[in-house]
Amino acid sequence: MCPLWIDRAPTGSRRRARRRRHSGSTPRGACSARSCAPPPSSSRPSATATTSSPAGSTASHRTSPTGYAEPEFEGEGDHDVWRNPQDDDVLDVKPGDPAYFVKHRPVFPAAPAGAPLSPNLAGRVAAAFALGAQVQAHRDPRLARHYLAEAAAVFAQARTADVGERVSAFPHAYYPESSWEDDLELGATQLALAARELGDPRADGWARDAAKWAKAYIGSGDTSTLNLYDTSALAHADLAGLLRTGVPGAALGVRELAADLRRQLDSGVESAKTSPFRTAVDVTGFDAASKSFGFAATARLYQRVTGDTRYAAFGARQRNFTLGANAWGVSLVVGVGTTFPQCPHHQAANLAGPSKVLYGAVVNGPNGAGNFEDLPFPAAAKECTRPDESFDGRGSRYADDLSSWPSNEPAIDFTSTALLAFSLAVKS
């Protein structure tokens, strides 16, 4: 993993944002020698971010003329060093030891404080702080105003011209995000909502910014559905509520936002026509569970915006796919249903033993059969496998096996999207 840090002027305080997603060109977690090194200076993004090496890797460093501390990695990837987190604290290591950076995770500043930020990162981090401001607006207004100030400062640092490669992780291929207008729409929308809660006069300005970036996203040609990389459904739904209250000079209206939500759902409906289980996701690719939950959530968001229930059954089928209505008959949510993953690719859960269930964790689910070749068994892990290949086919496979990170690794973004979908279902 390659965590990202943001230094913002004038305080230089640090805020961290995690990014994760597999790229077809670089297997998730397979950071081999130098593969997590940052790009060369000629292509280096200007966002104020830092990276850390994968667990088990070793690194040497050199400081570039621009102040960028560039790591050179050698060693294992982040699926290979199997231990409980507290075990790192007692390691007796010194610089140069193979496990030195297991105990001492390095971070590498990408630019000075106050430099322009990759807009996807700026939008998402601004949204997170602005949401915090909304939560605290009536509990602790002083803290809420502090969060709003942090959000505004990060949002203002977004690079919106000559954006270049988005900052998500090093190398970029590990989590290859390409869109960014949706993230700025999300950030501006949450800033406007927070400002209204706090009576801040900048609310309408941020709402206009949100509408501007929503229009830019819709016309960008780089559009998708709700998943780790695309946050437009979340942004559209909340922006629609703002626009209904009146935003002078907004670049678009609720009708355009609703139309783009329909585009996302219609793409899923079309894909589902060829599936015997009427599921929208490609079960030969990554993120089957999270994308299914994304469709389920978007169906609810669309209904909230428009009152139209035409996608309700479609959304329910996508949620049901994750809960066992799939070829393998397995729930992809640990602890939910009678048949669920017993051997998640999760260090703490594996080492704790079968009596400790990782309740609520969401795993990837079925994946392309080719992604399961030559999966190593992590050293020091406890053996766990529930083999059943009878339902594999059509290029897809699901394996309830400790080594099977392509299908059985829980992830924060998988689980958070599931929580969103379930919460919207209950609320509706």
Side-chain angles (χ1 to χ4, degrees):
M1 286 302 301
C2 304
L4 303 176
W5 290 82
I6 294 175
D7 285 351
R8 74 159 185 85
T11 64
S13 61
R14 290 190 160 186
R15 299 292 182 264
R16 183 168 68 178
R18 295 294 296 268
R19 294 287 183 266
R20 68 182 311 284
R21 181 55 62 250
H22 170 269
S23 156
S25 58
T26 305
R28 184 200 302 252
C31 287
S32 58
R34 301 174 186 263
S35 70
C36 269
S41 58
S42 61
S43 63
R44 183 178 307 134
S46 61
T48 309
T50 67
T51 66
S52 79
S53 65
S57 65
T58 61
S60 59
H61 310 75
R62 66 180 186 275
T63 301
S64 72
T66 61
Y68 189 106
E70 300 178 0
E72 297 178 347
F73 294 107
E74 299 175 357
E76 302 299 329
D78 61 0
H79 298 261
D80 303 306
V81 181
W82 210 256
R83 79 283 184 215
N84 283 310
Q86 63 269 25
D87 294 341
D88 296 349
D89 298 334
V90 297
L91 288 175
D92 183 13
V93 291
K94 61 182 183 300
D97 288 346
Y100 182 78
F101 288 106
V102 173
K103 181 174 183 177
H104 304 285
R105 295 297 186 96
V107 291
F108 305 99
L117 289 169
S118 185
N120 59 317
L121 187 59
R124 289 172 183 240
V125 175
F129 277 111
L131 283 164
Q134 294 169 50
V135 169
Q136 295 294 337
H138 300 291
R139 299 176 183 174
D140 188 340
R142 181 178 179 182
L143 180 61
R145 286 190 290 273
H146 171 70
Y147 286 161
L148 181 62
E150 293 284 325
V154 172
F155 187 78
Q157 284 182 236
R159 179 186 292 276
T160 59
D162 301 320
V163 170
E165 185 177 88
R166 258 57 84 212
V167 171
S168 56
F170 295 126
H172 179 72
Y174 200 77
Y175 297 104
E177 184 175 11
S178 58
S179 65
W180 55 275
E181 293 95 338
D182 55 320
D183 299 314
L184 290 182
E185 177 194 354
L186 180 64
T189 297
Q190 301 309 325
L191 277 163
L193 289 169
R196 287 194 174 186
E197 287 285 337
L198 293 166
D200 190 297
R202 295 172 290 180
D204 280 353
W206 280 320
R208 283 190 291 272
D209 284 342
K212 176 184 73 174
W213 290 119
K215 184 175 182 178
Y217 166 81
I218 292 170
S220 69
D222 188 9
T223 58
S224 185
T225 62
L226 180 57
N227 67 90
L228 176 69
Y229 298 123
D230 193 302
T231 60
S232 61
L234 304 178
H236 289 356
D238 280 351
L239 177 56
L242 275 171
L243 293 176
R244 282 202 168 94
T245 65
V247 178
L252 84 178
V254 175
R255 181 178 300 178
E256 292 93 332
L257 297 175
D260 194 60
L261 290 172
R262 281 198 303 275
R263 170 197 62 78
Q264 299 185 34
L265 292 164
D266 285 342
S267 71
V269 169
E270 187 64 27
S271 296
K273 290 178 180 178
T274 62
S275 166
F277 288 87
R278 295 295 183 262
T279 52
V281 298
D282 177 8
V283 292
T284 65
F286 280 86
D287 303 349
S290 64
K291 289 178 180 178
S292 295
F293 279 122
F295 280 119
T298 303
R300 293 288 183 171
L301 292 171
Y302 176 79
Q303 182 176 335
R304 190 180 80 184
V305 169
T306 65
D308 185 350
T309 62
R310 74 177 79 174
Y311 298 105
F314 165 77
R317 283 194 296 270
Q318 309 320 300
R319 186 179 68 244
N320 292 346
F321 167 82
T322 68
L323 296 177
N326 53 60
W328 296 265
V330 60
S331 169
L332 305 179
V333 185
V334 178
V336 174
T338 57
T339 305
F340 54 84
Q342 301 294 313
C343 305
H345 185 86
H346 187 280
Q347 296 184 24
N350 171 253
L351 294 175
S355 64
K356 303 293 185 181
V357 178
L358 198 64
Y359 285 106
V362 178
V363 301
N364 182 95
N367 209 325
N371 292 320
F372 293 82
E373 297 175 2
D374 302 321
L375 297 177
F377 185 81
K382 295 182 178 180
E383 184 73 37
C384 186
T385 183
R386 300 291 189 275
D388 186 355
E389 300 178 357
S390 58
F391 299 109
D392 295 346
R394 298 188 179 184
S396 182
R397 183 181 178 191
Y398 172 77
D400 187 4
D401 185 281
L402 176 67
S403 299
S404 178
W405 62 263
S407 65
N408 239 30
E409 182 185 13
I412 294 172
D413 57 285
F414 299 167
T415 306
S416 61
T417 310
L419 286 171
L420 173 65
F422 288 135
S423 298
L424 289 170
V426 172
K427 188 174 182 180
S428 297

